[in-house]
Amino acid sequence: MKVIMLGAPGAGKGTQAKQIADKYSIPHISTGDIFRANIKNGTELGKKAKTYMDQGLLVPDELVVELVADRIQQDDCKNGFVLDGFPRTIPQAEALDAALENINEKMDYAIDVDVPDENIINRMSGRRACLNCGATYHIVSIPTKVEGICDRCGSPVVLRDDDKPETVKRRLEVYHEQTQPLINYYKKQDILRTVNGVQPMEDVFKSIVEILGA
Ligand code: ADP
Ligand code: ADP
Ligand code: ZN
């Protein structure tokens, strides 16, 4: 099963993608997580990506397309994968289609997790991320068991630099301009499915399982 998660920053793509990956035993591929790991390890890619991420802008297509094209051809992707945060532009979507076509494959579903802008700022200011294992929490709706500490690995959880309100506004603008057009792109391919993202996360997941099948 090959699935794309679409939706605004903070819509819950990552939260849902992790559960999809667990249930269907496929890898969760988050380009944001890949960039953050590169930043943490001080790689060249990380240094380049950071300048864009800190401003709430997208990293240029050429820095991300090849990375994903390589990743989805690794062995663990044989039974599928869930893409979270990629594609984010029409050229990225076209590059993904081309890479899959080369190996006679295509995406099965693009799931749009629909959350209005009004809810996004609150989601992002309350988001706490573990930069060690990638887990995400929300101080109100999905809190850690011990305040400030990741349930999964015990590392501190933090407010991401790009989750500050000023940057979130910019990211939302960028989303509407560059990423939202993908909704129509996948509608035309007849693989778009929309779920209401303003429900408890368990209910969002139920809606997704109805689409993907138990
Ligand atoms: P969120 O989950 O809140 O949408 P991500 O972790 O997916 O955030 O992305 C964080 C930042 O990483 C983005 O704002 C952007 O700068 C960069 N990024 C991640 N994926 C991509 C991509 N496919 N294309 C360009 N930039 C990306
Ligand atoms: P994205 O990957 O789309 O940027 P996340 O999965 O990181 O979004 O979720 C953004 C924030 O909202 C996180 O703090 C997360 O814990 C929280 N969140 C996710 N799903 C829900 C939900 N259904 N209801 C309330 N909060 C949620
Ligand atoms: Zn952790």
Side-chain angles (χ1 to χ4, degrees):
M1 165 135 40
K2 294 190 284 305
V3 185
I4 294 168
M5 302 307 292
L6 290 178
K13 301 180 295 297
T15 302
Q16 298 300 324
K18 287 190 186 85
Q19 295 192 62
I20 294 171
D22 279 351
K23 179 170 170 72
Y24 298 97
S25 303
I26 51 177
H28 167 211
I29 303 176
S30 157
T31 44
D33 285 351
I34 294 172
F35 287 137
R36 281 184 289 277
N38 274 275
I39 292 172
K40 206 175 147 201
N41 295 328
T43 69
E44 273 314 303
L45 175 66
K47 280 178 201 149
K48 284 187 195 154
K50 190 175 185 332
T51 59
Y52 298 94
M53 290 167 76
D54 283 350
Q55 296 178 69
L57 300 174
L58 293 184
V59 174
D61 290 339
E62 57 271 23
L63 291 184
V64 65
V65 158
E66 219 170 301
L67 190 127
V68 175
D70 287 346
R71 180 67 189 87
I72 62 176
Q73 295 188 40
Q74 285 171 22
D75 265 357
D76 63 334
C77 291
K78 281 221 159 61
N79 295 323
F81 46 83
V82 51
L83 289 179
D84 163 19
F86 180 94
R88 258 186 159 93
T89 63
I90 297 276
Q92 289 181 17
E94 288 171 347
L96 173 64
D97 282 348
L100 287 169
E101 225 169 272
N102 276 336
I103 49 172
N104 273 315
E105 299 273 359
K106 59 183 188 48
M107 294 306 303
D108 297 307
Y109 294 105
I111 297 179
D112 180 32
V113 183
D114 189 25
V115 173
D117 285 7
E118 305 87 87
N119 302 45
I120 294 292
I121 302 272
N122 162 40
R123 286 236 181 143
M124 308 287 258
S125 57
R127 169 155 66 182
R128 293 295 179 273
C130 173
L131 297 181
N132 181 47
C133 78
T136 27
Y137 305 90
H138 188 281
I139 49 173
V140 178
S141 54
I142 309 170
T144 52
K145 293 199 181 90
V146 179
E147 199 184 317
I149 300 295
C150 178
D151 293 354
R152 257 175 47 192
C153 76
S155 298
V157 296
V158 297
L159 176 71
R160 271 166 45 183
D161 282 344
D162 61 343
D163 280 351
K164 311 221 156 88
E166 318 80 77
T167 319
V168 170
K169 272 193 201 123
R170 171 68 78 74
R171 289 166 66 198
L172 265 178
E173 284 165 18
V174 167
Y175 167 75
H176 288 300
E177 259 171 47
Q178 295 184 264
T179 306
Q180 211 173 20
L182 292 177
I183 291 180
N184 228 353
Y185 181 92
Y186 290 113
K187 207 183 262 171
K188 282 191 197 144
Q189 291 192 4
D190 217 20
I191 62 168
L192 181 79
R193 303 289 183 276
T194 304
V195 297
N196 175 9
V198 192
Q199 322 174 61
M201 68 170 185
E202 296 79 13
D203 295 338
V204 179
F205 188 58
K206 272 187 204 148
S207 316
I208 293 176
V209 172
E210 276 170 25
I211 293 165
L212 301 181

